[in-house]
């Protein structure tokens, strides 16, 4: 079993923009840097944007028995790529670890929410689902005293 644990709670894509959050950590090594890579349909990297990583996630810490790395495993990605993102393109995380290695984590396509407006009724449902995810996250932060 890998000692690198991760999850995508929400990841939305529209045009060139991407926004999302989740968590990732390595049980034994420090994570130095995280980025999201835009890849073509054959997983060839095209460009990347940095990820704000190291946010407090007490829910993840509880699941992993108070592991200090798990407590600060939250990430937030908000940014724009240098080109539009076709539906055939894929995404991966690039995770730089303290041992000098960089690990690529392929993000499953079913974790993405495409907000391109091509399917208006579907887009509304997806937008409502996305809003629900952000509301749940906000309520969790308020309940755990993280609101500032």
């Amino acid at each position: 079993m890998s000692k690198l644990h991760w999850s995508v709670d929400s990841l939305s894509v529209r045009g060139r923009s991407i926004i999302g959050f989740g968590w990732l950590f390595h049980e034994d090594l420090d994570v130095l840097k995280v980025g999201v890579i835009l890849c073509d349909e054959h997983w060839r990297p095209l460009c990347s944007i940095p990820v704000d990583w190291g946010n407090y996630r007490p829910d993840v810490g509880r699941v992993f028995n108070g592991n200090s790395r798990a407590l600060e495993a939250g990430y937030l990605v908000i940014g724009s790529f240098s080109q539009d993102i076709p539906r055939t393109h894929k995404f991966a995380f690039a995770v730089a670890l303290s041992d000098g290695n960089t690990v690529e984590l392929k993000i499953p396509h079913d974790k993405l929410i495409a907000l391109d407006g091509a399917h208006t009724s579907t887009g509304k449902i997806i937008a409502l689902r996305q809003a629900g995810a952000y509301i749940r996250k906000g309520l969790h932060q308020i309940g755990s005293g993280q609101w500032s």
Side-chain angles (χ1 to χ4, degrees), residues 83-142:
Q83 63 185 68
D84 284 338
I85 305 166
R87 285 186 176 261
T88 57
H89 282 34
K90 302 172 185 208
F91 296 91
F93 287 116
V95 183
L97 300 171
S98 59
D99 67 355
N101 288 316
T102 298
V103 178
E104 187 175 288
L105 303 170
K106 294 180 178 177
I107 300 171
H109 193 70
D110 64 352
K111 293 290 186 182
L112 299 175
I113 299 173
L115 299 175
D116 60 6
H119 304 92
T120 307
S121 62
T122 303
K124 288 178 184 175
I125 292 169
I126 290 171
L128 288 173
R129 193 173 103 195
Q130 181 71 18
Y134 286 121
I135 290 168
R136 283 191 303 279
K137 177 69 174 169
L139 291 174
H140 173 75
Q141 288 183 330
I142 290 168

Side-chain angles (χ1 to χ4, degrees), residues 8-131:
V8 175
D9 294 340
S10 179
L11 192 61
S12 301
V13 177
R14 181 176 187 164
R16 296 178 180 194
S17 301
I18 186 168
I19 182 170
F21 62 90
W23 55 268
L24 64 87
F25 75 97
H26 192 284
E27 290 178 14
D28 301 326
L29 301 171
D30 290 332
V31 173
L32 303 177
K33 186 176 163 183
V34 181
V36 173
I37 305 168
L38 173 63
C39 303
D40 69 11
E41 60 272 9
H42 303 292
W43 290 103
R44 289 185 297 246
L46 301 173
C47 53
S48 67
I49 57 172
V51 171
D52 175 28
W53 180 85
N55 300 314
Y56 186 60
R57 287 292 300 257
D59 56 327
V60 178
R62 280 191 298 275
V63 170
F64 290 93
N65 298 319
N67 180 307
S68 62
R69 289 182 173 93
L71 285 169
E72 295 180 352
Y75 67 79
L76 176 66
V77 57
I78 300 174
S80 295
F81 292 100
S82 58
Q83 63 185 68
D84 284 338
I85 305 166
R87 285 186 176 261
T88 57
H89 282 34
K90 302 172 185 208
F91 296 91
F93 287 116
V95 183
L97 300 171
S98 59
D99 67 355
N101 288 316
T102 298
V103 178
E104 187 175 288
L105 303 170
K106 294 180 178 177
I107 300 171
H109 193 70
D110 64 352
K111 293 290 186 182
L112 299 175
I113 299 173
L115 299 175
D116 60 6
H119 304 92
T120 307
S121 62
T122 303
K124 288 178 184 175
I125 292 169
I126 290 171
L128 288 173
R129 193 173 103 195
Q130 181 71 18

